[in-house]
Amino acid sequence: MTQKFAKIFASSPTDEAALTRLELLVEALLDPEKGCPWDKEQTTYSLTESILEETFELREALLADQAAGVLEEAVDAIFNLIFLTRLTRKKWGFGLKEILDAVIDKMIQRHPHVFGEAPEIKDSEGVLRQWHQIKRQKGQGVLATVPVDLPALTRCHRLSSKAARVGFDWESVAAVRKALELELAELDEEIALGNFNDPQRQERLRHELGDTLMATANLARRLGFSGEKALAEANNRFVTRFNWLENRLSEKGLKPEQVDLAELERLWQEAKKS
C-alpha cells in the first residue's frame, strides 16, 4: 500500500475525517495497479442488486430495533453508496460533492417554512402537503415519483397515500372496509366458476385477487400502518410458530411430513398459545 493511502489505517477523530477516510479506502480499492480485481469490475449496473439487498438488510435491522444489527447493516449500505459515487464520477462526471450539494439544495427548497419566508407549519401533515405541492410545481403527475420497483404492498401504500393528499380517498375506515367486502364478493364469484388452470380464468382471478389485496393495503393505511409492515410481522409469527411445531415433532423423532394434518393443526394451535 502506497504512502498516499496510509491515512486509511488511522482512526477518525471527526465525522468529516471518517468520510474522507472512507473515500480514500474506495479509491484504494479501485486503484488501477494495486486495487481489488473484483471491485474494479463493478459498474453502476452491477451495484443495483447489492444496494437493494443491503437496503433491505438495514430495514430488517431497523424493524428489529437492534443497535448492533443497525450498525453492521448501515456500514454495508453507506459503503455501497460511497462506492457508487466513485463510479458515477468516472461514468457521468458527478460524484459525492455534487450529490451532497444537490441534497442540501433540495432540502432547502422543500422546507421553505424552515429556510425561507413561508409561514410556520405546526404538524407533519401540513409539511407533507407542502412537499407535495412543491414537487407538483415541476409539472409531475401526482403518482410520478413512486418507484415502480418497490415491493407491491409498499408501492400500493405510497400510491394511495399520494392520491389521498389530493382528495382521492375513502371518507372513513368503514368505507374502506366496505370496499374490501365488495372486492371479496367479486373474488368469491370468480372462485365459484372453478377451472383454475385455464389461462383466462387465471387472469380474472389475478385481477380480482389484486383488487382485494389493494383494498386490504388501503385498509391498513387508513388504520395508521402499512400493509407491508403488517405482513412482515405476520410472516415472522408464522416462522416462529412453525419452528416451534417442528421442534415439538423433532422431540418425538418426527418430521412434519410424517404426521397427518389434524396433528399439525393441533400443534399449530398450541404454538399460537405458547
Side-chain angles (χ1 to χ4, degrees), residues 1-255:
M1 186 66 65
T2 64
Q3 186 64 32
K4 175 183 178 181
F5 298 122
K7 291 182 180 180
I8 293 173
F9 302 99
S11 61
S12 306
T14 64
D15 290 347
E16 293 82 359
L19 181 58
T20 299
R21 186 178 164 212
L22 177 55
E23 285 191 280
L24 193 61
L25 179 140
V26 173
E27 184 180 348
L29 292 174
L30 296 174
D31 184 75
E33 295 183 4
K34 299 292 186 178
C36 170
W38 185 89
D39 288 299
K40 290 191 289 184
E41 289 177 358
Q42 300 313 302
T43 66
T44 54
Y45 180 82
S46 69
L47 276 189
T48 56
E49 289 300 318
S50 177
I51 290 172
L52 182 63
E53 179 180 344
E54 299 301 346
T55 300
F56 273 104
E57 290 179 357
L58 176 57
R59 178 180 181 273
E60 184 175 332
L62 288 166
L63 290 174
D65 201 26
Q66 297 175 345
V70 171
L71 176 60
E72 179 180 353
E73 301 306 338
V75 165
D76 295 335
I78 289 177
F79 172 79
N80 271 276
L81 291 177
I82 297 301
F83 192 96
L84 177 64
T85 67
R86 302 294 298 195
L87 301 185
T88 59
R89 171 74 69 194
K90 181 179 180 180
K91 184 175 182 179
W92 292 307
F94 66 84
L96 183 62
K97 174 192 174 300
E98 290 79 8
I99 293 171
L100 294 181
D101 282 345
V103 166
I104 294 167
D105 292 344
K106 175 185 270 190
M107 291 304 107
I108 291 173
Q109 182 206 19
R110 298 284 174 87
H111 294 79
H113 57 293
V114 176
F115 303 109
E117 301 300 324
E120 181 182 1
I121 300 177
K122 298 293 187 179
D123 58 80
S124 59
E125 188 58 37
V127 173
L128 290 174
R129 282 196 300 269
Q130 176 180 261
W131 184 284
H132 176 74
Q133 290 166 359
I134 293 171
K135 292 176 74 172
R136 292 292 305 282
Q137 290 172 3
K138 294 184 176 181
Q140 293 179 318
V142 173
L143 308 178
T145 59
V146 180
V148 174
D149 288 338
L150 284 174
L153 278 175
T154 298
R155 186 167 185 245
C156 178
H157 184 95
R158 294 280 299 280
L159 290 170
S160 58
S161 295
K162 287 182 175 292
R165 291 194 190 107
V166 296
F168 190 72
D169 199 6
W170 287 272
E171 293 183 354
S172 64
V173 171
V176 188
R177 183 65 181 84
K178 181 63 176 178
L180 177 56
E181 288 181 10
L182 294 174
E183 296 297 349
L184 282 168
E186 292 179 6
L187 177 60
D188 286 341
E189 290 177 5
E190 291 296 331
I191 291 174
L193 296 175
N195 197 18
F196 302 139
N197 293 324
D198 179 78
Q200 291 184 338
R201 298 289 308 117
Q202 283 279 310
E203 184 177 352
R204 286 300 308 163
L205 287 163
R206 284 198 309 274
H207 180 102
E208 296 302 342
L209 185 57
D211 288 348
T212 302
L213 290 170
M214 196 165 196
T216 303
N218 273 284
L219 179 59
R221 174 179 61 82
R222 289 303 299 263
L223 290 172
F225 51 84
S226 74
E228 185 76 30
K229 185 174 182 180
L231 184 57
E233 291 172 351
N235 284 338
N236 290 338
R237 288 195 300 273
F238 181 86
V239 170
T240 298
R241 291 167 181 172
F242 199 86
N243 287 344
W244 187 94
L245 179 153
E246 280 190 301
N247 289 336
R248 298 294 80 73
L249 288 173
S250 179
E251 290 170 359
K252 301 176 183 178
L254 296 171
K255 296 180 180 179

Side-chain angles (χ1 to χ4, degrees), residues 244-245 248-249 252 260-273:
W244 187 94
L245 179 153
R248 298 294 80 73
L249 288 173
K252 301 176 183 178
D260 60 24
L261 182 57
E263 176 62 8
L264 291 175
E265 177 62 24
R266 185 188 69 78
L267 289 169
W268 182 258
Q269 293 305 321
E270 284 190 25
K272 291 173 68 174
K273 296 175 183 177

